[in-house]
Amino acid sequence: MDILTYDAVEQPLAKVARDCGSNVYYVRSHRSIFSLLSALARVNRAGGGYKSIHAHNSFQNGLVMLIGLFLRVPVRISHSHNAPVMKEESLPRAAYNATMRCILPVFSTHLFAVSNVAGEVVYGKHWKKSKKSSLAYCGRDFEAYKYIPERAASMREFLGLAPSAQIVGHVGRFHPQKNHAFLIDVFERVSMTVPEAYLVLVGGGDDQRQRELEDYVVHKGLSDRVKFLGARSDANILLQTFDLFILPSLYEGLPLVVLEALSSGRKCLLSNSITHEVDAIPELVTRLELSDGIEAWAGEIVRLIESDYPVTPAEAYDRITESGFSIEKSFETLNKTYSK
């Protein structure tokens, strides 16, 4: 399996891929069908002719599938991972998306989506009626997320938080999609009610946006109650320290971080904008509409961090690993598809 990326600079996972025996190709000239054709043809020659191509770029998958057919790649998989809100599309973008939505079923051999809503956004409302269509979750190996009390206690100590601290945690890149400003506004209300409440934000992404949010926290006088930890390789342990995981996103395809939090036995508060397929352990999931407002969200956070856990961490882990979200299930699906 080789990797094609549009990144302008090398990302950390490129080394991981090479260590697994993969080649990593940088396809930077992808803005038009002609430049993308030239780049993919070059990569296909370098790879000796691929048996399958698996694209993860939403609507641009249509161009990749068309070129894959031209290059005689027999298995051509389009995979939809996200469900962006597209209320303010420009006319050219709307025309482009509509065109891609029409050609994807024609030039793909398989139409995958991580959730039904992710499939509807890219392939249309009736996407499931096609014989080419199916759900294909991004499975995880949840072993690293298994709750271990000693790990959680050690991480709390590292963060400088007392065992009695009530930690509201969020893991997500700094992007408008994740709704960080709303989360900070909500936590401001929580901090007035729960003196030992802390908000821990884990993730990288847009450095400028992170600085703006840090300034926003200072402006609200919450610097000693909100911790920005940046991108971390130990997010699996950080999740175990949270008393409540919160994700007030404007939209998501199928957020894997929710499954990771559930596998640690954490209670989760999610926006109703997030696909319900992620509610693998319903007893641990609470949902609100974003329109319910700051007071409602703050009140629910207070209620949840003060309530008992309805499911033990051990039971939560067992239920997640037996679900369709396990890495074993994903391997079976992809291996069967690639091998056709």
Side-chain angles (χ1 to χ4, degrees), residues 30-105:
H30 62 276
R31 294 299 180 186
S32 75
I33 188 170
F34 302 107
S35 59
L36 186 59
L37 170 60
S38 175
L40 294 187
R42 169 177 54 82
V43 170
N44 193 50
R45 286 194 301 271
Y50 291 100
K51 301 300 183 187
S52 65
I53 186 166
H54 191 160
H56 307 265
N57 297 288
S58 295
F59 290 100
Q60 199 187 32
N61 287 355
L63 296 182
V64 177
M65 298 296 98
L66 172 59
I67 293 170
L69 177 63
F70 180 79
L71 297 175
R72 297 182 180 180
V73 179
V75 177
R76 301 177 300 280
I77 307 166
S78 170
H79 206 149
S80 176
H81 290 265
N82 216 337
V85 178
M86 297 179 292
K87 294 181 179 178
E88 301 179 2
E89 285 181 301
S90 65
L91 187 59
R93 169 55 63 178
Y96 174 84
N97 289 350
T99 301
M100 293 300 105
R101 193 177 283 121
C102 289
I103 71 173
L104 272 165

Side-chain angles (χ1 to χ4, degrees), residues 165-170 179-201 225-226 242-248 267-271 284-290 292-309:
Q166 301 286 348
I167 303 177
V168 179
H170 169 86
N179 212 9
H180 285 96
F182 175 79
L183 174 53
I184 291 168
D185 288 340
V186 169
F187 181 74
E188 181 183 25
R189 297 290 197 282
V190 173
S191 68
M192 298 174 184
T193 306
V194 186
E196 287 195 284
Y198 292 85
L199 177 62
V200 174
L201 302 175
R225 306 284 292 276
V226 180
F242 298 164
D243 294 289
L244 174 67
F245 174 78
I246 184 168
L247 193 65
K267 289 176 283 190
C268 298
L269 177 58
L270 314 177
S271 72
L284 290 174
V285 178
T286 302
R287 288 178 173 271
L288 290 175
E289 298 286 352
L290 291 172
D292 289 338
I294 292 170
E295 294 295 342
W297 278 75
E300 197 61 26
I301 288 175
V302 173
R303 184 187 73 80
L304 287 169
I305 61 179
E306 292 179 348
S307 65
D308 294 331
Y309 279 86

Side-chain angles (χ1 to χ4, degrees), residues 99-159:
T99 301
M100 293 300 105
R101 193 177 283 121
C102 289
I103 71 173
L104 272 165
V106 177
F107 299 120
S108 302
T109 59
H110 299 77
L111 300 173
F112 282 175
V114 296
S115 66
N116 186 52
V117 67
E120 289 181 353
V121 166
V122 175
Y123 308 128
K125 287 189 176 181
H126 305 294
W127 77 285
K128 278 190 169 181
K129 292 183 179 180
S130 171
K131 293 182 180 179
K132 297 180 178 181
S133 302
S134 61
L135 291 172
Y137 301 126
C138 296
R140 300 288 284 151
D141 181 356
F142 293 107
E143 176 67 30
Y145 298 89
K146 189 173 184 179
Y147 180 73
I148 300 176
E150 294 78 14
R151 279 184 183 175
S154 178
M155 180 57 73
R156 278 179 176 254
E157 185 177 349
F158 171 78
L159 295 175

